[in-house]
Amino acid sequence: MPSVNIQHLDKIYDGGVQAVWDFNLDIEDGEFIVLVGPSGCGKSTTLRMVAGLEDITKGTLLIDGKDCTRLPPKDRDIAMVFQNYALYGHMTIYENMAFSLTLRKEKKEVIHRKVMAAAEILNLKDQLNKKPKQLSGGQRQRVAIGRAIVRNPKVFLFDEPLSNLDAKLRGSMRREMILLHQRLGATMIYVTHDQTEALTLADRIVCMSMGYVQQIGKPLDLYEHPANTFVATFIGLPPMNMFHGTVNGNKFVCDLFEYDIPQERIAKLADYNGKEVILGVRPENIVLGGKIKLFVNNNENLGMNTLVHGVLGGKQSVVCKFARWCGYKYGDEIDIGFDPEKIHFFELPTHDETGRELPGVTIV
């Protein structure tokens, strides 16, 4: 039995506004799952339904085999860590971490043992007598995590816990989250809009858009084998370059360039001959020395890598990522091509009966 089993979850608010559509996911014991997507995609709503903070309109939620669909939050054996820490300012760090155990009327020696164990894991032993306002943002977030750890729940839920931190702190806290998961071996469900967090933290990613699951898989699977145009452009920074054109025999033809389709892809595209498709290529899979002329706008030299921003045919922006320092300047023209093993072909986006745009699915 999976640690968490989510079956056909829907969330419909008053007025008929549906935030989540038919969400299905089996989470194994000890797995780190990340829900990622843009604001308003339904990821936090899904997490709050698992937590019991939002009613489930339709569907079933099992935690460790127990039907929790209608149970109140306190009976679900979960612990949630919020974006804003939610610490009590008048309490010490020790008292904040011990609060839930105190409410349960645990013995003092049990509370002390659990708080000290969590403080050891999170490197907070020297901060236990301080108040929250005396701590940095990263330390306060560790306190919020420690408050969850002492409860020893079946499932940890994290709702964008690092979004209030600056970039440097987010990087260090990501590393701490990885180590924490390794030490606890606990089941964790983590919500973020930051794809870097998703790619670095997750055992599996659930990518969402407009209330629907777009793809579930290991981070590298979503990056290298996106299911559709939404996942292809949302996962990856900078996003995948997309070109609209037509399959013409063994060529992809658009008004910007012609591209020879790799031999092993031609048969798979046979049904699309004469039809419009989208060719996608990630910035790092653009190579120098091809037949396509790129007008350079500017460089972003990042040390070991350079992002070269340019325009094709005076109309379409393109981003290339080269594994070296580049000295190109505005107005330079360079010849580029695509790594034939790393290109993607997608169908055009469509619309369903409600008018919702459906991303173009991957062809090959």
Side-chain angles (χ1 to χ4, degrees):
M1 174 66 68
S3 179
V4 179
N5 181 241
I6 304 172
Q7 303 171 3
H8 304 293
L9 248 60
D10 284 352
K11 178 61 183 179
I12 304 174
Y13 288 104
D14 292 342
V17 177
Q18 188 152 355
V20 177
W21 302 72
D22 196 29
F23 187 101
N24 293 275
L25 182 64
D26 288 339
I27 303 173
E28 298 301 326
D29 187 39
E31 196 171 16
F32 198 132
I33 294 290
V34 176
L35 309 184
V36 68
S39 296
C41 71
K43 56 189 185 297
S44 288
T45 301
T46 301
L47 191 78
R48 290 173 64 84
M49 285 193 286
V50 174
L53 302 178
E54 293 277 3
D55 292 334
I56 295 171
T57 305
K58 181 182 176 183
T60 303
L61 170 68
L62 304 177
I63 298 177
D64 206 19
K66 179 180 180 181
D67 190 344
C68 297
T69 309
R70 304 299 171 200
L71 286 181
K74 65 182 180 63
D75 296 330
R76 298 189 181 201
D77 201 7
I78 53 95
M80 191 160 180
V81 178
F82 296 93
Q83 174 181 342
N84 62 356
Y85 319 136
L87 302 178
Y88 297 104
H90 65 286
M91 293 183 181
T92 65
I93 301 309
Y94 184 100
E95 291 167 338
N96 267 281
M97 291 175 65
F99 185 68
S100 63
L101 302 180
T102 303
L103 287 180
R104 291 184 186 175
K105 302 189 181 332
E106 293 266 17
K107 294 180 179 179
K108 286 186 178 181
E109 58 269 24
V110 173
I111 294 175
H112 184 73
R113 173 171 51 80
K114 291 184 175 181
V115 169
M116 295 308 292
E120 176 72 28
I121 290 171
L122 297 165
N123 195 26
L124 288 170
K125 290 184 73 173
D126 295 336
Q127 314 296 330
L128 292 176
N129 291 323
K130 295 180 179 179
K131 298 288 180 67
K133 66 181 180 181
Q134 297 174 275
L135 272 55
S136 69
Q139 288 172 323
R140 277 180 275 179
Q141 192 56 276
R142 289 207 298 270
V143 175
I145 294 170
R147 188 173 53 191
I149 289 174
V150 299
R151 294 180 54 191
N152 192 30
K154 286 191 171 71
V155 183
F156 288 84
L157 307 179
F158 297 90
D159 191 7
E160 306 217 31
L162 309 186
S163 60
N164 283 344
L165 306 180
D166 62 42
K168 185 176 180 180
L169 264 179
R170 280 202 303 273
S172 63
M173 281 299 296
R174 282 199 300 269
R175 293 189 291 275
E176 290 188 28
M177 289 295 301
I178 293 168
L179 292 173
L180 177 65
H181 181 244
Q182 290 172 347
R183 292 190 68 170
L184 296 179
T187 304
M188 296 183 174
I189 308 175
Y190 188 106
V191 159
T192 182
H193 65 274
D194 185 334
Q195 53 150 310
T196 301
E197 287 181 24
L199 290 169
T200 54
L201 292 175
D203 292 325
R204 284 190 297 154
I205 293 173
V206 180
C207 188
M208 298 184 68
S209 174
M210 299 178 67
Y212 290 84
V213 173
Q214 301 296 322
Q215 188 173 357
I216 300 173
K218 294 180 179 179
L220 191 59
D221 288 339
L222 269 68
Y223 190 81
E224 293 196 334
H225 306 289
N228 56 42
T229 51
F230 173 80
V231 178
T233 52
F234 187 81
I235 300 293
L237 192 66
M240 185 180 289
N241 296 288
M242 296 294 204
F243 306 99
H244 288 249
T246 303
V247 176
N248 186 0
N250 63 349
K251 292 183 180 294
F252 171 83
V253 180
C254 66
D255 57 357
L256 303 171
F257 59 85
E258 289 188 3
Y259 181 75
D260 292 330
I261 298 171
Q263 189 66 36
E264 64 275 12
R265 307 284 186 96
I266 294 174
K268 296 176 181 177
L269 288 166
D271 290 342
Y272 294 86
N273 192 35
K275 297 179 180 178
E276 285 188 72
V277 297
I278 298 171
L279 185 154
V281 60
R282 293 203 179 277
E284 66 269 25
N285 300 137
I286 294 178
V287 298
L288 290 168
K291 300 177 182 179
I292 302 169
K293 298 279 186 191
L294 179 71
F295 181 93
V296 175
N297 278 336
N298 61 74
N299 290 338
E300 289 184 72
N301 285 305
L302 305 174
M304 292 297 292
N305 300 302
T306 301
L307 298 181
V308 178
H309 298 263
V311 177
L312 290 183
K315 60 174 88 172
Q316 178 158 349
S317 296
V318 175
V319 181
C320 314
K321 184 176 182 180
F322 299 129
R324 62 185 179 84
W325 187 279
C326 295
Y328 301 124
K329 59 185 183 298
Y330 177 82
D332 285 348
E333 201 169 64
I334 59 175
D335 297 323
I336 62 170
F338 308 146
D339 182 341
E341 295 184 359
K342 297 291 186 179
I343 59 172
H344 305 264
F345 289 96
F346 305 92
E347 293 182 352
L348 297 182
T350 57
H351 293 82
D352 65 13
E353 62 278 3
T354 68
R356 178 177 66 97
E357 182 173 282
L358 303 175
V361 300
T362 297
I363 302 169
V364 60

